[in-house]
Amino acid sequence: MRVFLTLCLTLLFMSCNDTKPTPKKKTVVKTEVKQKKETPKVIAIDSSKLTLEERFLPLNDDNAMDFFLEYEKEHKENKVRIYTSFGNIELLLFDKIKFHRANFIFLVKNKVFDGTQFHRVVKDFVIQGGSSDSKKIVRKRRKIGSYLLPPDAKRGFKHHRGVISIPSSEIENAYKLASPFEFFITVTNQYHLDNEYTVFGKVTKGMDVVDIISQQETDAGDWPKHNVYITKVEVIE
C-alpha cells in the first residue's frame, strides 16, 4: 500500500512539473501623438537695406514722382549718346527739368531704349524715338511700370531746332499720346509746341544725323519704310 501511494505521489509531482505556465499577453495601449502646427515665421524686411528700385518698382502715377525725386539726387549725369544706324547723336539734358532728366537717365541705365527705333519721322518737323514691337522691350517696360510725368514746360525753354522733348500729361488723352518711354527731337524750330510739350535737353553733336533720319522715306503713318534702329543709348557724363 505504501508503495502504491509513493508511486501515485511521484506521478502527480512529475505531471505538475511538465505543465508550463501560459505567459500573459501584454496589453499595448496606443497613444496618438498630436503634432503641433508650426506658426509660420514672419520675416521682417529692413527697408533701409533695399535699393531705391526695390522700394518703388513697378512705378505708377502715385509713386513715380517720389521715386524720381530721390533718383535725381543720386544720379546727376546729364550727357547721353544715342547710337543709330546712321551715326551718333549726343544730348545735354537740362538740370532745371529734373524729373524728366532723371527719367531719361534712369531709362538709359536700364537699357530700355536699346534696340528700339525712330518710329515716327516727319520731314522738317520731328523724329520720334523709343518705340518697339520687341517682346523683350515690352517686358522691360512692364517691369518698370506704367506712369506719366507731369508737364514742366514753363522754364523758358523753347522748341528750337535740335531740342529733345516729350509729351506732357495734361494734354487730352494723355495715355494715348504721352509716354515716358518715348521722346522726339525737333528738326526745325517748332514754337507752336511750347507750353504743351516739355523740352528737357538739346542736341550738342550729331544734328547732321538727325537731318539724315528726317529725310527717310516713310509710309502713311510716318513710320520709316526702312527701320531706323537705336542700337544703344548710354550715359557719357
Side-chain angles (χ1 to χ4, degrees):
M1 185 67 178
R2 288 182 179 178
V3 175
F4 177 75
L5 288 175
T6 301
L7 180 61
C8 288
L9 289 174
T10 301
L11 292 173
L12 180 62
F13 178 77
M14 291 177 64
S15 175
C16 290
N17 284 342
D18 288 339
T19 304
K20 294 181 179 179
T22 304
K24 293 183 179 180
K25 292 183 179 180
K26 293 183 179 180
T27 303
V28 179
V29 179
K30 294 183 179 180
T31 56
E32 294 184 1
V33 179
K34 293 184 178 180
Q35 295 182 348
K36 293 183 179 180
K37 293 183 179 180
E38 294 185 1
T39 304
K41 295 180 180 180
V42 178
I43 301 175
I45 299 176
D46 187 353
S47 60
S48 64
K49 295 182 180 179
L50 299 177
T51 65
L52 189 60
E53 286 82 355
E54 288 172 337
R55 285 167 48 204
F56 282 92
L57 264 57
L59 299 178
N60 54 56
D61 286 338
D62 294 326
N63 69 4
M65 298 310 292
D66 290 332
F67 171 77
F68 288 118
L69 184 63
E70 291 192 39
Y71 189 86
E72 69 92 19
K73 294 176 182 177
E74 300 176 10
H75 301 268
K76 296 296 184 181
E77 302 93 335
N78 63 355
K79 293 181 181 178
V80 173
R81 182 180 292 123
I82 300 173
Y83 295 83
T84 80
S85 48
F86 290 98
N88 303 336
I89 304 169
E90 294 188 6
L91 304 170
L92 171 67
L93 308 182
F94 300 144
D95 294 332
K96 287 184 178 180
I97 316 297
K98 60 183 180 180
F99 291 112
H100 292 72
R101 181 194 64 78
N103 172 72
F104 200 76
I105 293 295
F106 171 68
L107 296 179
V108 168
K109 288 188 173 184
N110 281 275
K111 303 184 182 302
V112 175
F113 296 122
D114 294 9
T116 61
Q117 301 172 40
F118 278 103
H119 58 279
R120 181 172 180 249
V121 170
V122 183
K123 185 178 180 180
D124 297 326
F125 180 39
V126 300
I127 61 171
Q128 185 169 340
S131 183
S132 175
D133 295 329
S134 167
K135 292 182 179 179
K136 183 178 180 180
I137 301 299
V138 172
R139 285 195 295 269
K140 283 185 179 181
R141 289 185 176 189
R142 189 178 295 120
K143 184 177 179 180
I144 290 172
S146 177
Y147 62 99
L148 289 176
L149 298 174
D152 195 356
K154 297 180 181 180
R155 300 278 185 173
F157 298 114
K158 302 180 73 65
H159 282 80
H160 298 301
R161 164 177 160 83
V163 300
I164 181 171
S165 183
I166 189 173
S168 301
S169 60
E170 283 187 351
I171 62 178
E172 188 177 358
N173 297 323
Y175 269 103
K176 292 182 179 180
L177 302 176
S179 169
F181 300 103
E182 297 185 21
F183 60 90
F184 64 85
I185 298 173
T186 54
V187 181
T188 58
N189 296 334
Q190 301 295 331
Y191 301 130
H192 67 285
L193 301 179
D194 295 345
N195 300 320
E196 291 190 25
Y197 299 85
T198 301
V199 175
F200 65 97
K202 66 178 182 180
V203 175
T204 57
K205 186 178 180 181
M207 271 307 295
D208 57 328
V209 177
V210 174
D211 290 333
I212 292 173
I213 294 173
S214 72
Q215 299 297 319
Q216 299 305 300
E217 188 179 359
T218 62
D219 60 19
D222 297 325
W223 194 294
K225 290 186 176 181
H226 298 284
N227 291 330
V228 181
Y229 285 102
I230 298 173
T231 54
K232 183 174 66 172
V233 184
E234 66 178 5
V235 175
I236 55 178
E237 189 176 333

